[in-house]
């Protein structure tokens, strides 16, 4: 799970190497800059043993501690752990005389497998300096020796100094992976997010934990917090997927409305919820933005459906828009709807039936379109023709639609009246 001591150290070390050389306050000998260039070149080409020797020469000639530390750091990366311990011991009888040397010795001892010595020195160091980095170093040694409870104590001490999210991340992994304290791990992370916000690192760790636990609500909560910080399309898709999985279409609608996301999906949700007032407004907005006449057709249909008793002015607007759509497209849905409205509202029954006949040329066995035609004949008082068609309709798929059955009832009543 971890590349504990050396892995962490190498990252820090390589970062330092890539930036700039040590900063001697003043040149001690003429070729000091040249030596530094040789050392940096060796580091850049990953010749760490050579770099260590050059820095050692620099230290011998200039006596500057920066060169000593850099020499030992390169020796550690070169895996010369025994040499590092030997050199540090030769430099000082007191292990805590130089804190930087003590840290390097701890790292070398760990890599040599001398964990007890490493622990003793790391603990002494942290108790002396009380610095977060030394608490972390001590914790890493305990992690290496699989003493996770003790490691947590030192990590907690480091975390309490500045609430470093990287330290908290290590704490959460130990709790979750090594100690199997799932709830505690998640609780620590969630507490941090409430107090300090949900950073990318902490949010991603919570996502990992919640995913492993199949905690859908937890995942949703984290993704929403992440989206509030960064309006990412990928995060928005995750939120939409979770709401859809939960079938929580009300909250999904609220989310899409709040952030103005995925208007096509929002339109579908409005229609599914029979919120035709919002649907026709959104469809019209999509038409204006895209110039797609199918959106204008949908807007007209949803506007019509949004009224229980549509006003003459609104009805006129619906008819006008549907006529425009049918001129621009051959979609049967809009032709049938226009035809049916013209028939049902007695605006122009014969014109309406022309639209229906056009539709039936394309889909001659549609129950809905045949029903519209039957209704047209009924409106014209031609009950026999209406009855012949509606009898066929009820045998087709969709023939049990409530509106079809209502038409059947009225047409049958018309037939009875004719017989009398």
């Amino acid at each position: 799970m971890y590349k504990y001591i050396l892995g962490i150290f190498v990252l820090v070390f390589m970062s330092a190497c890539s930036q700039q050389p040590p900063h001697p306050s003043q040149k001690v000998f003429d070729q000091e800059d040249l030596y530094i260039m040789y050392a940096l070149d060796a580091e850049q080409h990953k010749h760490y043993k050579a770099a260590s020797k050059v820095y050692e020469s620099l230290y011998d000639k200039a006596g500057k501690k920066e060169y000593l530390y850099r020499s030992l750091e390169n020796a550690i990366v070169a895996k010369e752990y025994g040499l590092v311990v030997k050199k540090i011991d030769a430099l000082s009888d007191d292990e805590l005389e130089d804190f930087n040397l003590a840290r390097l010795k701890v790292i070398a001892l760990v890599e040599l497998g001398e964990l007890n010595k490493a622990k003793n020195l790391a603990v002494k160091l942290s108790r002396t300096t009380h610095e977060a980095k030394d608490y972390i170093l001590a914790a890493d040694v305990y992690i290496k020796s699989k003493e996770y409870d003790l490691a947590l104590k030192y990590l907690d001490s480091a975390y309490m100094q500045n609430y470093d999210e990287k330290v908290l991340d290590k704490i959460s992994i130990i709790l979750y992976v090594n100690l199997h304290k799932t709830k505690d791990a998640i609780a620590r992370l969630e507490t941090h997010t409430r107090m300090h916000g949900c950073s990318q690192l902490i949010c991603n760790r919570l996502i990992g934990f919640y995913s492993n636990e199949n905690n859908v609500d937890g995942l949703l909560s984290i993704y929403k917090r992440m989206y509030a910080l960064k309006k990412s399309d990928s995060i928005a898709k995750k939120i939409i997927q979770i709401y859809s999985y939960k079938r929580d279409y009300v909250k999904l609608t609220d989310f899409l409305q709040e952030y103005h996301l995925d208007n096509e999906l929002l339109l579908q949700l409005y229609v599914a919820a029979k919120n035709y007032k919002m649907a026709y407004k959104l469809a019209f907005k999509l038409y204006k933005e895209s110039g797609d006449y199918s959106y204008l057709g949908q807007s007209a249909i949803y506007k019509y459906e949004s009224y229980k008793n549509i006003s003459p002015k609104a009805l006129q607007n619906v008819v006008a828009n549907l006529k425009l759509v049918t001129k621009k497209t051959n979609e049967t849905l809009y032709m049938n709807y226009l035809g049916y409205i013209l028939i049902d509202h007695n605006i122009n029954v014969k014109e309406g039936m022309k639209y229906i006949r056009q539709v039936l040329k394309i889909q001659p066995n549609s129950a809905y379109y045949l029903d519209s035609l039957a209704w047209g004949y009924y409106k014209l008082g031609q009950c026999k023709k209406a009855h012949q068609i509606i009898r066929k309709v009820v045998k087709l798929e969709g023939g049990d639609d409530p509106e079809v059955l209502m038409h059947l009832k009225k047409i049958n009543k018309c037939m009875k009246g004719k017989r009398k």
Side-chain angles (χ1 to χ4, degrees):
M1 180 61 69
Y2 291 102
K3 298 286 186 183
Y4 293 114
I5 306 298
L6 184 59
I8 295 168
F9 170 75
V10 169
L11 288 175
V12 174
F13 170 69
M14 293 308 294
S15 174
C17 290
S18 65
Q19 293 171 9
Q20 53 191 1
H23 294 284
S25 56
Q26 186 176 2
K27 283 202 300 184
V28 175
F29 63 100
D30 290 339
Q31 293 182 311
E32 190 171 350
D33 288 341
L34 184 61
Y35 273 72
I36 292 172
M37 288 176 62
Y38 285 146
L40 291 173
D41 183 70
E43 287 177 342
Q44 187 175 4
H45 289 89
K46 300 183 179 181
H47 299 154
Y48 299 116
K49 284 186 181 181
S52 177
K53 289 180 180 178
V54 176
Y55 279 121
E56 185 177 15
S57 296
L58 279 164
Y59 175 63
D60 290 340
K61 291 178 179 294
K64 297 174 183 177
K65 281 290 187 74
E66 292 89 346
Y67 297 139
L68 172 61
Y69 302 147
R70 198 71 162 245
S71 174
L72 294 171
E73 289 167 356
N74 275 279
I76 287 176
V77 180
K79 300 183 179 180
E80 294 185 310
Y81 311 121
L83 180 62
V84 170
V85 173
K86 185 177 178 180
K87 285 185 175 181
I88 292 173
D89 287 343
L91 288 165
S92 175
D93 292 331
D94 183 356
E95 289 184 313
L96 297 181
E97 182 179 331
D98 185 315
F99 296 148
N100 286 328
L101 292 181
R103 292 172 187 127
L104 291 168
K105 184 176 179 180
V106 170
I107 294 169
L109 287 170
V110 169
E111 296 305 325
L112 288 169
E114 297 183 31
L115 296 181
N116 286 331
K117 289 183 179 180
K119 277 188 283 187
N120 290 335
L121 179 54
V123 169
K124 284 167 60 179
L125 180 63
S126 65
R127 289 176 178 173
T128 302
T129 68
H130 301 289
E131 291 188 34
K133 61 184 175 182
D134 293 323
Y135 286 127
I136 295 169
L137 185 60
D140 283 338
V141 181
Y142 280 114
I143 291 169
K144 195 76 173 179
S145 62
K146 299 183 179 181
E147 297 176 76
Y148 301 114
D149 287 316
L150 287 170
L152 282 178
K153 290 181 180 179
Y154 284 94
L155 287 174
D156 279 333
S157 296
Y159 175 72
M160 292 304 294
Q161 288 196 10
N162 53 16
Y163 306 105
D164 189 333
E165 62 179 27
K166 292 180 180 178
V167 176
L168 176 63
D169 188 49
K170 293 183 74 169
I171 291 171
S172 71
I173 292 173
I174 292 171
L175 287 169
Y176 191 93
V177 177
N178 303 115
L179 298 177
H180 308 293
K181 295 182 178 180
T182 303
K183 292 181 179 179
D184 289 347
I186 292 173
R188 289 291 297 268
L189 294 171
E190 287 285 9
T191 299
H192 179 92
T193 65
R194 286 193 292 272
M195 295 177 64
H196 308 287
C198 196
S199 68
Q200 191 77 23
L201 174 65
I202 299 302
C203 278
N204 283 336
R205 185 63 65 198
L206 277 167
I207 286 170
F209 290 167
Y210 282 136
S211 295
N212 288 339
E213 301 300 311
N214 293 317
N215 187 332
V216 177
D217 290 328
L219 278 172
L220 180 60
S221 171
I222 295 301
Y223 280 128
K224 286 178 69 177
R225 277 180 270 176
M226 290 180 73
Y227 191 77
L229 293 173
K230 181 182 179 182
K231 304 299 185 292
S232 163
D233 289 343
S234 61
I235 296 173
K237 287 179 181 177
K238 293 288 186 184
I239 295 170
I240 291 169
Q241 287 171 359
I242 293 173
Y243 274 132
S244 299
Y245 172 79
K246 288 166 60 70
R247 298 180 184 276
D248 194 341
Y249 301 121
V250 174
K251 288 185 179 177
L252 174 55
T253 301
D254 292 341
F255 174 70
L256 296 177
Q257 285 177 327
E258 181 179 357
Y259 293 105
H260 308 287
L261 294 170
D262 202 338
N263 280 330
E264 290 189 8
L265 175 58
L266 183 58
L267 180 60
Q268 294 174 31
L269 291 169
Y270 284 148
V271 175
K274 296 185 177 181
N275 187 347
Y276 296 120
K277 185 175 181 180
M278 294 299 293
Y280 89 73
K281 290 180 179 179
L282 180 55
F284 191 75
K285 177 186 175 185
L286 289 170
Y287 162 66
K288 285 293 187 181
E289 291 174 351
S290 67
D292 187 338
Y293 282 96
S294 67
Y295 286 127
L296 180 60
Q298 291 177 61
S299 176
I301 290 173
Y302 301 143
K303 184 171 186 177
Y304 179 79
E305 295 292 340
S306 69
Y307 286 92
K308 287 185 178 179
N309 296 300
I310 191 167
S311 67
K313 185 177 179 180
L315 185 61
Q316 185 180 10
N317 176 259
V318 168
V319 170
N321 283 338
L322 284 173
K323 283 187 175 183
L324 177 58
V325 172
T326 56
K327 287 178 181 178
K328 299 292 184 178
T329 73
N330 290 321
E331 293 187 46
T332 56
L333 170 65
Y334 305 125
M335 285 193 286
N336 176 68
Y337 226 92
L338 174 58
Y340 183 79
I341 290 173
L342 292 172
I343 292 167
D344 194 51
H345 290 272
N346 298 308
I347 298 170
N348 191 328
V349 176
K350 289 184 178 180
E351 183 186 0
M353 291 178 73
K354 285 180 182 179
Y355 284 108
I356 302 303
R357 289 192 181 96
Q358 281 183 262
V359 172
L360 286 168
K361 288 177 183 178
I362 301 169
Q363 295 184 39
N365 294 314
S366 167
Y368 300 107
Y369 302 159
L370 287 168
D371 174 64
S372 296
L373 184 64
W375 194 237
Y377 280 119
Y378 169 79
K379 287 284 188 173
L380 292 174
Q382 299 180 32
C383 300
K384 187 175 180 181
K385 285 186 177 180
H387 190 256
Q388 288 173 345
I389 297 170
I390 202 72
R391 285 179 61 191
K392 181 181 178 182
V393 170
V394 294
K395 296 177 182 178
L396 298 172
E397 184 178 352
D400 58 349
D401 183 86
E403 192 167 18
V404 171
L405 296 177
M406 181 272 288
H407 290 167
L408 174 64
K409 184 177 180 180
K410 289 195 173 185
I411 291 169
N412 283 337
K413 186 177 180 181
C414 177
M415 286 294 291
K416 289 177 182 177
K418 291 286 184 181
R419 290 190 190 107
K420 291 180 181 179

